Amino acid sequence: DSACYRYASPDDTISLKLVYVGEAINGTLIYKLKEKDKNMGTLQGKMRGDLLLADYTFMSEGMTSVRQIAFKKQADYFVEGYADVETIDGKTSFKNLDSLKFIDKIKLMAVECKN
């Protein structure tokens, strides 16, 4: 079972594909943001209530990086969460999940998945 979500503005695009495997969620995440390198990678995580928490593994400047991501599920869209982070053993994680702030103007709306 899979679901796709997308945010698009004239300058920026964020695409999220989720593949549900039992309790686990795998998928892909692509950021195409103006003035930044394109980021694309894979995610592995699960839902905690209405919160998708996952590890995002992506290539950046020729190196593989891992950072924790959080997306909050609303009616038919997700919004990304931001908070202070720390990097331990090469993985960037949120210091405190309770301090996550969600930018509601950047809504990743449900879209049809394309192969």
Side-chain angles (χ1 to χ4, degrees), residues 3-94:
C4 294
Y5 299 87
R6 182 178 168 91
Y7 166 78
S9 75
D11 294 326
D12 304 320
T13 309
I14 304 171
S15 302
L16 175 66
K17 180 176 184 176
L18 304 178
V19 180
Y20 297 89
V21 185
E23 293 277 302
I25 296 175
N26 300 325
T28 55
L29 180 59
I30 303 169
Y31 293 94
K32 290 185 197 165
L33 305 177
K34 188 179 182 181
E35 324 238 334
K36 294 205 184 222
D37 285 344
K38 176 180 170 183
N39 258 349
M40 80 188 275
T42 58
L43 59 96
Q44 289 184 299
K46 59 184 176 186
M47 294 297 294
R48 286 192 195 165
D50 62 355
L51 189 65
L52 168 64
L53 276 178
D55 288 339
Y56 176 50
T57 304
F58 62 99
M59 290 294 288
S60 177
E61 296 169 9
M63 291 175 49
T64 299
S65 300
V66 180
R67 77 176 163 92
Q68 188 177 38
I69 56 167
F71 284 90
K72 189 173 201 170
K73 178 88 163 96
Q74 306 289 12
D76 58 348
Y77 62 92
F78 276 95
V79 287
E80 188 166 6
Y82 299 91
D84 288 339
V85 295
E86 58 190 353
T87 302
I88 299 169
D89 294 333
K91 180 186 168 190
T92 303
S93 300
F94 297 115

Side-chain angles (χ1 to χ4, degrees), residues 73-115:
K73 178 88 163 96
Q74 306 289 12
D76 58 348
Y77 62 92
F78 276 95
V79 287
E80 188 166 6
Y82 299 91
D84 288 339
V85 295
E86 58 190 353
T87 302
I88 299 169
D89 294 333
K91 180 186 168 190
T92 303
S93 300
F94 297 115
K95 287 183 182 175
N96 182 354
L97 290 175
D98 294 332
S99 68
L100 282 168
K101 300 211 177 339
F102 296 91
I103 312 291
D104 208 43
K105 67 178 185 183
I106 298 179
K107 297 178 180 175
L108 280 74
M109 304 300 294
V111 295
E112 192 174 322
C113 290
K114 296 185 174 93
N115 288 338

